[in-house]
mmCIF file of all heavy atoms in Angstrom:
data_model
loop_
_atom_site.group_PDB
_atom_site.id
_atom_site.type_symbol
_atom_site.label_atom_id
_atom_site.label_comp_id
_atom_site.label_asym_id
_atom_site.label_seq_id
_atom_site.Cartn_x
_atom_site.Cartn_y
_atom_site.Cartn_z
ATOM 1 N N ASP A 88 -35.589 122.752 63.277
ATOM 2 C CA ASP A 88 -37.041 122.372 62.749
ATOM 3 C C ASP A 88 -37.262 120.930 63.155
ATOM 4 O O ASP A 88 -38.366 120.637 63.660
ATOM 5 C CB ASP A 88 -36.952 122.515 61.321
ATOM 6 C CG ASP A 88 -37.016 124.059 60.776
ATOM 7 O OD1 ASP A 88 -37.254 124.923 61.674
ATOM 8 O OD2 ASP A 88 -36.668 124.226 59.635
ATOM 9 N N VAL A 89 -36.278 120.033 63.002
ATOM 10 C CA VAL A 89 -36.546 118.617 63.352
ATOM 11 C C VAL A 89 -36.780 118.508 64.818
ATOM 12 O O VAL A 89 -37.708 117.789 65.347
ATOM 13 C CB VAL A 89 -35.433 117.737 62.863
ATOM 14 C CG1 VAL A 89 -35.536 116.349 63.290
ATOM 15 C CG2 VAL A 89 -35.308 117.808 61.316
ATOM 16 N N THR A 90 -35.894 119.132 65.559
ATOM 17 C CA THR A 90 -36.050 119.088 67.079
ATOM 18 C C THR A 90 -37.377 119.589 67.574
ATOM 19 O O THR A 90 -38.042 118.971 68.397
ATOM 20 C CB THR A 90 -34.902 119.848 67.698
ATOM 21 O OG1 THR A 90 -33.670 119.401 67.297
ATOM 22 C CG2 THR A 90 -34.999 119.744 69.257
ATOM 23 N N ASN A 91 -37.854 120.687 67.046
ATOM 24 C CA ASN A 91 -39.170 121.284 67.463
ATOM 25 C C ASN A 91 -40.322 120.377 67.057
ATOM 26 O O ASN A 91 -41.275 120.158 67.827
ATOM 27 C CB ASN A 91 -39.317 122.628 66.895
ATOM 28 C CG ASN A 91 -38.314 123.638 67.379
ATOM 29 O OD1 ASN A 91 -37.770 123.512 68.481
ATOM 30 N ND2 ASN A 91 -38.049 124.722 66.571
ATOM 31 N N LEU A 92 -40.184 119.742 65.867
ATOM 32 C CA LEU A 92 -41.218 118.823 65.375
ATOM 33 C C LEU A 92 -41.317 117.725 66.251
ATOM 34 O O LEU A 92 -42.503 117.223 66.705
ATOM 35 C CB LEU A 92 -40.858 118.385 63.990
ATOM 36 C CG LEU A 92 -41.818 117.260 63.348
ATOM 37 C CD1 LEU A 92 -43.282 117.851 63.300
ATOM 38 C CD2 LEU A 92 -41.347 116.952 61.970
ATOM 39 N N LEU A 93 -40.249 116.973 66.711
ATOM 40 C CA LEU A 93 -40.230 115.844 67.568
ATOM 41 C C LEU A 93 -40.856 116.227 68.932
ATOM 42 O O LEU A 93 -41.593 115.482 69.478
ATOM 43 C CB LEU A 93 -38.860 115.290 67.759
ATOM 44 C CG LEU A 93 -38.226 114.648 66.551
ATOM 45 C CD1 LEU A 93 -36.795 114.164 66.783
ATOM 46 C CD2 LEU A 93 -39.049 113.484 66.005
ATOM 47 N N ALA A 94 -40.573 117.438 69.476
ATOM 48 C CA ALA A 94 -41.114 117.910 70.738
ATOM 49 C C ALA A 94 -42.583 118.093 70.580
ATOM 50 O O ALA A 94 -43.336 117.696 71.475
ATOM 51 C CB ALA A 94 -40.366 119.057 71.167
ATOM 52 N N LYS A 95 -43.038 118.772 69.498
ATOM 53 C CA LYS A 95 -44.340 119.057 69.307
ATOM 54 C C LYS A 95 -45.237 117.764 69.264
ATOM 55 O O LYS A 95 -46.351 117.699 69.785
ATOM 56 C CB LYS A 95 -44.586 119.903 68.074
ATOM 57 C CG LYS A 95 -45.891 120.291 67.762
ATOM 58 C CD LYS A 95 -46.081 121.113 66.521
ATOM 59 C CE LYS A 95 -47.531 121.405 66.173
ATOM 60 N NZ LYS A 95 -47.629 122.159 64.917
ATOM 61 N N GLU A 96 -44.744 116.754 68.440
ATOM 62 C CA GLU A 96 -45.483 115.502 68.272
ATOM 63 C C GLU A 96 -45.220 114.504 69.322
ATOM 64 O O GLU A 96 -45.774 113.375 69.294
ATOM 65 C CB GLU A 96 -45.071 114.919 66.978
ATOM 66 C CG GLU A 96 -45.439 115.885 65.716
ATOM 67 C CD GLU A 96 -46.884 116.148 65.600
ATOM 68 O OE1 GLU A 96 -47.731 115.251 65.978
ATOM 69 O OE2 GLU A 96 -47.210 117.151 64.984
ATOM 70 N N ASN A 97 -44.297 114.804 70.339
ATOM 71 C CA ASN A 97 -43.990 113.922 71.410
ATOM 72 C C ASN A 97 -43.621 112.542 70.852
ATOM 73 O O ASN A 97 -44.034 111.477 71.226
ATOM 74 C CB ASN A 97 -45.174 113.714 72.301
ATOM 75 C CG ASN A 97 -44.785 113.077 73.632
ATOM 76 O OD1 ASN A 97 -43.692 113.158 74.056
ATOM 77 N ND2 ASN A 97 -45.824 112.376 74.264
ATOM 78 N N PHE A 98 -42.608 112.659 69.770
ATOM 79 C CA PHE A 98 -42.164 111.404 69.212
ATOM 80 C C PHE A 98 -40.776 111.115 69.724
ATOM 81 O O PHE A 98 -39.900 112.030 69.728
ATOM 82 C CB PHE A 98 -42.092 111.597 67.682
ATOM 83 C CG PHE A 98 -41.879 110.363 66.889
ATOM 84 C CD1 PHE A 98 -42.920 109.545 66.581
ATOM 85 C CD2 PHE A 98 -40.577 110.052 66.519
ATOM 86 C CE1 PHE A 98 -42.701 108.339 65.848
ATOM 87 C CE2 PHE A 98 -40.342 108.851 65.712
ATOM 88 C CZ PHE A 98 -41.542 108.007 65.341
ATOM 89 N N ASP A 99 -40.521 109.847 70.113
ATOM 90 C CA ASP A 99 -39.239 109.391 70.574
ATOM 91 C C ASP A 99 -38.148 109.541 69.505
ATOM 92 O O ASP A 99 -38.153 108.884 68.446
ATOM 93 C CB ASP A 99 -39.265 107.995 71.053
ATOM 94 C CG ASP A 99 -37.983 107.588 71.674
ATOM 95 O OD1 ASP A 99 -37.035 108.265 71.839
ATOM 96 O OD2 ASP A 99 -37.812 106.343 72.052
ATOM 97 N N PRO A 100 -37.116 110.415 69.684
ATOM 98 C CA PRO A 100 -35.984 110.622 68.667
ATOM 99 C C PRO A 100 -35.307 109.332 68.348
ATOM 100 O O PRO A 100 -34.855 109.086 67.275
ATOM 101 C CB PRO A 100 -35.180 111.590 69.265
ATOM 102 C CG PRO A 100 -35.924 112.345 70.338
ATOM 103 C CD PRO A 100 -36.891 111.314 70.934
ATOM 104 N N HIS A 101 -35.218 108.386 69.347
ATOM 105 C CA HIS A 101 -34.517 107.121 69.078
ATOM 106 C C HIS A 101 -35.188 106.199 68.078
ATOM 107 O O HIS A 101 -34.507 105.313 67.620
ATOM 108 C CB HIS A 101 -34.328 106.430 70.431
ATOM 109 C CG HIS A 101 -33.490 107.084 71.397
ATOM 110 N ND1 HIS A 101 -34.012 108.080 72.264
ATOM 111 C CD2 HIS A 101 -32.071 107.137 71.723
ATOM 112 C CE1 HIS A 101 -33.105 108.589 73.026
ATOM 113 N NE2 HIS A 101 -31.857 108.058 72.706
ATOM 114 N N ARG A 102 -36.460 106.515 67.810
ATOM 115 C CA ARG A 102 -37.233 105.768 66.853
ATOM 116 C C ARG A 102 -36.960 106.146 65.337
ATOM 117 O O ARG A 102 -37.318 105.548 64.439
ATOM 118 C CB ARG A 102 -38.642 105.723 67.136
ATOM 119 C CG ARG A 102 -39.095 104.978 68.366
ATOM 120 C CD ARG A 102 -40.643 105.037 68.550
ATOM 121 N NE ARG A 102 -41.356 104.553 67.403
ATOM 122 C CZ ARG A 102 -42.650 104.824 67.061
ATOM 123 N NH1 ARG A 102 -43.302 105.643 67.929
ATOM 124 N NH2 ARG A 102 -43.143 104.316 66.000
ATOM 125 N N LEU A 103 -36.407 107.371 65.285
ATOM 126 C CA LEU A 103 -36.257 108.011 63.979
ATOM 127 C C LEU A 103 -34.884 107.832 63.376
ATOM 128 O O LEU A 103 -33.838 108.049 64.059
ATOM 129 C CB LEU A 103 -36.563 109.556 64.036
ATOM 130 C CG LEU A 103 -36.476 110.378 62.844
ATOM 131 C CD1 LEU A 103 -37.423 109.918 61.703
ATOM 132 C CD2 LEU A 103 -36.542 111.882 63.092
ATOM 133 N N THR A 104 -34.866 107.392 62.143
ATOM 134 C CA THR A 104 -33.620 107.337 61.390
ATOM 135 C C THR A 104 -33.704 108.155 60.060
ATOM 136 O O THR A 104 -34.718 108.067 59.348
ATOM 137 C CB THR A 104 -33.308 105.912 60.898
ATOM 138 O OG1 THR A 104 -33.180 105.069 62.060
ATOM 139 C CG2 THR A 104 -32.003 105.837 60.092
ATOM 140 N N LEU A 105 -32.836 109.043 59.972
ATOM 141 C CA LEU A 105 -32.726 109.991 58.662
ATOM 142 C C LEU A 105 -31.809 109.387 57.696
ATOM 143 O O LEU A 105 -30.593 109.115 58.039
ATOM 144 C CB LEU A 105 -32.357 111.421 59.092
ATOM 145 C CG LEU A 105 -33.313 112.150 60.067
ATOM 146 C CD1 LEU A 105 -32.776 113.582 60.373
ATOM 147 C CD2 LEU A 105 -34.689 112.153 59.542
ATOM 148 N N GLU A 106 -32.163 109.081 56.509
ATOM 149 C CA GLU A 106 -31.323 108.549 55.466
ATOM 150 C C GLU A 106 -30.826 109.557 54.532
ATOM 151 O O GLU A 106 -31.615 110.459 54.048
ATOM 152 C CB GLU A 106 -32.120 107.543 54.677
ATOM 153 C CG GLU A 106 -32.683 106.360 55.559
ATOM 154 C CD GLU A 106 -33.323 105.225 54.705
ATOM 155 O OE1 GLU A 106 -33.183 105.380 53.386
ATOM 156 O OE2 GLU A 106 -33.868 104.329 55.250
ATOM 157 N N ILE A 107 -29.459 109.668 54.357
ATOM 158 C CA ILE A 107 -28.974 110.578 53.492
ATOM 159 C C ILE A 107 -28.073 109.914 52.370
ATOM 160 O O ILE A 107 -27.559 108.826 52.773
ATOM 161 C CB ILE A 107 -28.116 111.708 54.136
ATOM 162 C CG1 ILE A 107 -26.941 111.080 54.934
ATOM 163 C CG2 ILE A 107 -29.019 112.496 55.117
ATOM 164 C CD1 ILE A 107 -26.066 112.048 55.631
ATOM 165 N N THR A 108 -27.844 110.513 51.321
ATOM 166 C CA THR A 108 -26.996 110.002 50.240
ATOM 167 C C THR A 108 -25.575 110.674 50.450
ATOM 168 O O THR A 108 -25.446 111.605 51.116
ATOM 169 C CB THR A 108 -27.445 110.224 48.842
ATOM 170 O OG1 THR A 108 -27.606 111.702 48.617
ATOM 171 C CG2 THR A 108 -28.731 109.544 48.643
ATOM 172 N N GLU A 109 -24.600 110.026 49.855
ATOM 173 C CA GLU A 109 -23.158 110.464 50.025
ATOM 174 C C GLU A 109 -22.941 111.845 49.275
ATOM 175 O O GLU A 109 -21.941 112.455 49.607
ATOM 176 C CB GLU A 109 -22.225 109.485 49.439
ATOM 177 C CG GLU A 109 -22.352 109.357 47.895
ATOM 178 C CD GLU A 109 -21.486 108.173 47.381
ATOM 179 O OE1 GLU A 109 -21.594 107.167 47.995
ATOM 180 O OE2 GLU A 109 -20.821 108.404 46.312
ATOM 181 N N GLY A 110 -23.909 112.380 48.502
ATOM 182 C CA GLY A 110 -23.684 113.702 47.775
ATOM 183 C C GLY A 110 -23.415 114.752 48.785
ATOM 184 O O GLY A 110 -22.506 115.633 48.557
ATOM 185 N N VAL A 111 -24.146 114.721 49.898
ATOM 186 C CA VAL A 111 -23.951 115.914 50.806
ATOM 187 C C VAL A 111 -22.624 115.757 51.486
ATOM 188 O O VAL A 111 -22.050 116.862 51.954
ATOM 189 C CB VAL A 111 -25.052 115.834 51.922
ATOM 190 C CG1 VAL A 111 -24.935 114.662 52.840
ATOM 191 C CG2 VAL A 111 -25.119 117.185 52.696
ATOM 192 N N LEU A 112 -21.987 114.650 51.686
ATOM 193 C CA LEU A 112 -20.765 114.511 52.261
ATOM 194 C C LEU A 112 -19.615 115.032 51.405
ATOM 195 O O LEU A 112 -18.594 115.444 51.868
ATOM 196 C CB LEU A 112 -20.367 113.029 52.503
ATOM 197 C CG LEU A 112 -21.547 112.178 53.333
ATOM 198 C CD1 LEU A 112 -21.079 110.775 53.481
ATOM 199 C CD2 LEU A 112 -21.917 112.918 54.511
#
C-alpha cells in the first residue's frame, strides 16, 4: 500500500520517515 501510494503520487521515498513506537517490536 505504501509503495503504490508513493509511486502514484510521484513522491521521493527518501523524503519520508515513518515513526513507530516500541510496542510493535
